[in-house]
Amino acid sequence: TFGQSVTLTATPSHTAWDMGNGETVSCVGPGREWVKGMPENAPTNCSFTYAALVDPEGDTWSVSAAINYTVGWTCTGNCGGQNSGDLGDVTALAGEPTSLTVLQRQTVVTQ
């Protein structure tokens, strides 16, 4: 052994979403972790609204995302004088595309 330990850290810097209808959304930062029981209207720094439905019964879109990570490294022990560094940005798909069914939500105001 050489007596060192190297740690890589990948931090999400932005996510590029393909919404399946020809539109894209770019969201900055790692996003907010979803927690079971979180209300539907929980605040977020990234959102998208489908402007109109093609099928009144609901549209199904194939949605995908690519996450951009900023990657760095740190070294402890016998590191030859270098203790950290930047490896740049790496983009990775966030898994396979998924189907998302969008239904119309209507508000009724009564007086």
Side-chain angles (χ1 to χ4, degrees):
T1 66
F2 294 104
Q4 74 267 13
S5 174
V6 178
T7 302
L8 294 175
T9 304
T11 305
S13 57
H14 74 269
T15 304
W17 291 89
D18 179 341
M19 302 311 296
N21 64 346
E23 296 186 63
T24 60
V25 177
S26 184
C27 302
V28 178
R32 180 173 181 188
E33 179 182 3
W34 182 83
V35 178
K36 187 174 181 175
M38 186 179 283
E40 182 179 310
N41 63 347
T44 179
N45 68 345
C46 185
S47 63
F48 178 80
T49 301
Y50 288 91
L53 291 176
V54 175
D55 181 348
E57 299 295 319
D59 294 336
T60 300
W61 303 106
S62 179
V63 177
S64 62
I67 303 172
N68 190 75
Y69 296 93
T70 300
V71 183
W73 63 273
T74 57
C75 180
T76 57
N78 183 14
C79 302
Q82 293 186 319
N83 295 324
S84 65
D86 181 6
L87 299 175
D89 292 342
V90 175
T91 301
L93 293 177
E96 295 294 319
T98 188
S99 292
L100 176 68
T101 301
V102 178
L103 304 173
Q104 185 174 5
R105 183 175 185 174
Q106 296 181 354
T107 302
V108 177
V109 179
T110 61
Q111 296 181 356

